[in-house]
């Protein structure tokens, strides 16, 4: 790191962090789980407390990060390590979190988030370096490469057809569009055909968006009421409110110019309904 670059320890020290203590840097990246989803659901701290090996023994604190692609890692928080004990046979988990997320972890660490770093949490992105498989490392002043806007928890927008948003993702977009300006701008710029997947059954709903705010405007209707006025989606929410709309996932099938007429957009919508059979075996009723 060059002299004119800022490191993570430089920022942490400004908030009162003591680097002389026994501290390790931790980067969470797990092929089994979406770390962003765990973070947004409030499950990451529980996931972090259960470990397959005694990796946090003899430490005073850990500085916790979440992998956000490549060698990038975003600061999640600083935690004091208060002690270790055997994992309980029936652990108390956050609402909605199942035992599979902590299965096979015989060690449970009592961790306490340290106050004073809130301005940096979920905002500071560092370059972890090439050793991403080494997820617990010695304390080093790793280079800060970006400071995100407050509330920006989604991965950067890259491509219209290259993402799927969970219900939690969509709610975050609607809750803080300013922090996710790129997502709002891109989704507002196009009309198109989209897919809502019920991930509990695999059934699909095909819809379309057109008009001034494009896909963004239509999806914000789902943020507000969960069903967007669709009969079948409303029925699912009424019959099983614990599962829906949380089980819905959102993606784009086809983008069109925002200037496309309603009839042009509906023509593409009908085509995808036929291709995917969403009337016969899915959630479309027209």
């Amino acid at each position: 790191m060059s002299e004119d670059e800022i490191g993570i320890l430089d920022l942490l020290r400004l908030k009162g962090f003591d680097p002389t203590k026994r501290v390790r840097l931790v980067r969470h990246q797990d092929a089994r789980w979406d770390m962003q989803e765990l973070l947004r659901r409030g499950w990451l701290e529980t996931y972090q407390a259960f470990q397959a090996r005694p990796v946090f023994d003899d430490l005073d604190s850990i500085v916790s990060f979440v992998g956000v692609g490549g060698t990038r890692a975003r600061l999640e928080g600083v935690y004091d390590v208060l002690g270790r004990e055997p994992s309980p046979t029936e652990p108390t988990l956050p609402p909605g979190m199942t035992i599979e997320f902590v299965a096979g972890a015989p060690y449970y660490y009592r961790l306490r988030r340290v106050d004073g770093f809130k301005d940096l949490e979920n905002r500071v992105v560092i370059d972890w370096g090439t050793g991403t498989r080494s997820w617990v490392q010695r304390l080093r002043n790793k280079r800060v490469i970006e400071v995100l806007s407050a509330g920006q928890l989604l991965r950067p927008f890259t491509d219209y057809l290259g993402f799927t948003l969970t219900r939690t993702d969509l709610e975050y977009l609607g809750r803080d569009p300013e922090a996710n300006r790129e997502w709002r701008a891109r989704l507002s710029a196009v009309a198109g055909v989209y897919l809502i997947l019920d991930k509990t059954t695999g059934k699909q709903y095909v819809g379309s968006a057109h008009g001034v705010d494009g896909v963004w405007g239509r999806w914000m209707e789902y943020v507000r009421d969960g069903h967007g006025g669709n009969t079948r989606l409303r029925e699912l929410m009424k019959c099983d409110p614990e599962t829906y709309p949380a089980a819905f996932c959102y993606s784009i099938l086809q983008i069109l110019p925002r200037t496309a007429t309603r009839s042009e957009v509906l023509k593409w919508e009908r085509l995808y309904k036929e291709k995917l059979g969403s009337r016969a075996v899915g959630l479309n009723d027209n």
Side-chain angles (χ1 to χ4, degrees):
M1 191 174 73
S2 64
E3 293 182 358
D4 59 346
E5 291 179 316
I6 296 176
I8 183 61
L9 294 186
D10 299 327
L11 293 182
L12 293 176
R13 285 192 189 101
L14 293 175
K15 299 294 183 178
F17 179 76
D18 182 359
T20 65
K21 291 184 176 182
R22 299 173 298 174
V23 184
R24 289 290 186 270
L25 302 179
V26 176
R27 180 180 185 268
H28 295 295
Q29 186 78 53
D30 192 327
R32 299 172 301 168
W33 318 116
D34 182 344
M35 292 294 107
Q36 307 301 323
E37 181 73 1
L38 265 65
L39 181 61
R40 289 188 290 272
R41 287 181 175 270
W43 297 352
L44 187 66
E45 289 188 347
T46 301
Y47 166 87
Q48 175 177 254
F50 288 84
Q51 294 295 330
R53 296 182 294 110
V55 289
F56 302 153
D57 278 12
D58 301 320
L59 296 181
D60 297 313
S61 307
I62 60 172
V63 182
S64 183
F65 296 82
V66 171
V68 288
T71 62
R72 296 158 59 91
R74 188 179 64 223
L75 177 66
E76 197 278 322
V78 179
Y79 293 85
D80 284 338
V81 180
L82 304 181
R84 170 172 65 84
E85 57 197 47
S87 294
T89 55
E90 297 184 1
T92 301
L93 302 176
M97 188 179 191
T98 57
I99 192 66
E100 61 182 336
F101 286 91
V102 299
Y107 303 104
Y108 175 75
Y109 285 90
R110 288 181 285 110
L111 304 172
R112 180 180 61 200
R113 183 184 292 270
V114 180
D115 294 333
F117 301 98
K118 188 173 182 59
D119 291 345
L120 306 178
E121 293 170 359
N122 296 313
R123 297 184 61 198
V124 175
V125 179
I126 66 169
D127 181 7
W128 186 261
T130 57
T132 53
R133 296 188 66 179
S134 179
W135 67 279
V136 179
Q137 296 187 4
R138 290 178 299 173
L139 190 64
R140 292 171 50 200
N141 198 22
K142 292 178 183 282
R143 181 170 62 94
V144 173
I145 56 178
E146 186 177 10
V147 179
L148 303 173
S149 301
Q152 186 177 341
L153 296 182
L154 282 181
R155 62 188 65 83
F157 183 96
T158 55
D159 182 81
Y160 285 105
L161 305 183
F163 69 84
T164 297
L165 297 179
T166 66
R167 174 68 189 180
T168 307
D169 292 334
L170 201 64
E171 289 174 347
Y172 266 94
L173 282 178
R175 188 178 307 156
D176 199 344
E178 182 60 26
N180 297 286
R181 293 187 299 273
E182 181 72 5
W183 280 91
R184 181 178 185 176
R186 295 296 191 94
L187 295 179
S188 298
V190 296
V193 181
Y194 59 85
L195 182 75
I196 298 179
L197 172 69
D198 175 357
K199 61 185 180 182
T200 63
T201 65
K203 292 185 177 181
Q204 301 170 336
Y205 173 86
V206 175
S208 62
H210 55 86
V212 175
D213 291 324
V215 173
W216 174 272
R218 180 59 176 143
W219 281 6
M220 289 304 102
E221 294 178 20
Y222 290 106
V223 171
R224 286 189 287 273
D225 60 25
H227 53 71
N230 306 128
T231 302
R232 298 284 294 280
L233 303 186
R234 185 190 288 114
E235 290 174 352
L236 286 174
M237 291 172 57
K238 183 177 180 180
C239 294
D240 189 357
E242 291 189 5
T243 301
Y244 302 101
F248 294 147
C249 293
Y250 308 80
S251 59
I252 295 177
L253 298 173
Q254 177 80 38
I255 60 170
L256 299 164
R258 194 172 55 184
T259 55
T261 65
R262 182 174 184 272
S263 61
E264 290 174 325
V265 175
L266 291 178
K267 180 183 72 174
W268 282 101
E269 180 186 327
R270 288 192 294 270
L271 177 62
Y272 277 99
K273 287 177 179 177
E274 293 171 4
K275 285 186 174 183
L276 299 176
S278 62
R279 291 191 190 97
V281 294
L283 297 172
N284 288 103
D285 58 2
N286 58 35

